[in-house]
Amino acid sequence: VQLQACGGGLVQAGGSLRLPCAASGRTFSDYAMTWFRQAPGKEREFVAIISGSVGIKNYADSVKGRFTISRDNAKNTVYLQMNSLKPEDTAVYYCAARRLYSRTPTDYNYWGQGTKVTVSS
C-alpha cells in the first residue's frame, strides 16, 4: 500500500484543518486506516483509527470530541478533520495502513510521508 498525506499547515489556536491521505496499490477497504502524530522530541503517538469496510472509529483521549476520522472507500482516501486546534496538537501527522486493528505504531508497515501541522497560540 502506498500512502500520501497532505493538508498540513500553519493555523491559529481554535482553527481547523482537514488532512487527506490517499492510498493506492491494494484493496483499500481491506485495511484499517490510522493517523499518528509525532511532536518534536516525543514518540509517535496514536491519534485515530477507522476500520475497513465497517468504519468503526476510535480516538485518543486527547483529541476525542475535536477530531473526526472518516474514509471514502470509493476514492481510496482517509481524512482527519481537526477542529478546535490547540498548540499541543503541533506535530507531524502520519497516516498508516494495516489489515488488523492496532493503536501501536510499530505494528504498521505502510506509512505516508507525514504532513506538518503547526498551531500557533
Side-chain angles (χ1 to χ4, degrees):
V1 179
Q2 290 78 47
L3 302 173
Q4 184 167 7
C6 60
L10 174 64
V11 63
Q12 289 188 334
S16 298
L17 280 175
R18 188 175 82 149
L19 307 181
C21 173
S24 62
R26 291 286 191 272
T27 303
F28 182 67
S29 60
D30 287 347
Y31 289 80
M33 298 298 298
T34 308
W35 286 96
F36 294 91
R37 67 185 182 186
Q38 189 165 16
K42 295 188 177 181
E43 293 186 350
R44 195 165 297 189
E45 65 175 1
F46 167 80
V47 175
I49 186 171
I50 184 167
S51 65
S53 56
V54 179
I56 297 171
K57 305 174 186 180
N58 195 265
Y59 298 92
D61 288 344
S62 59
V63 307
K64 203 170 292 184
R66 299 187 298 121
F67 290 12
T68 302
I69 189 170
S70 62
R71 66 190 298 155
D72 185 336
N73 287 340
K75 295 183 178 180
N76 288 359
T77 303
V78 63
Y79 303 95
L80 186 67
Q81 177 67 43
M82 306 186 292
N83 298 330
S84 302
L85 282 160
K86 305 175 181 179
E88 51 264 44
D89 294 319
T90 295
V92 177
Y93 284 71
Y94 298 89
C95 57
R98 191 173 188 262
R99 287 187 178 271
L100 299 179
Y101 176 96
S102 174
R103 295 169 57 133
T104 305
T106 53
D107 287 343
Y108 285 76
N109 292 323
Y110 302 111
W111 290 90
Q113 81 283 8
T115 185
K116 187 173 183 180
V117 173
T118 303
V119 184
S120 63
S121 57

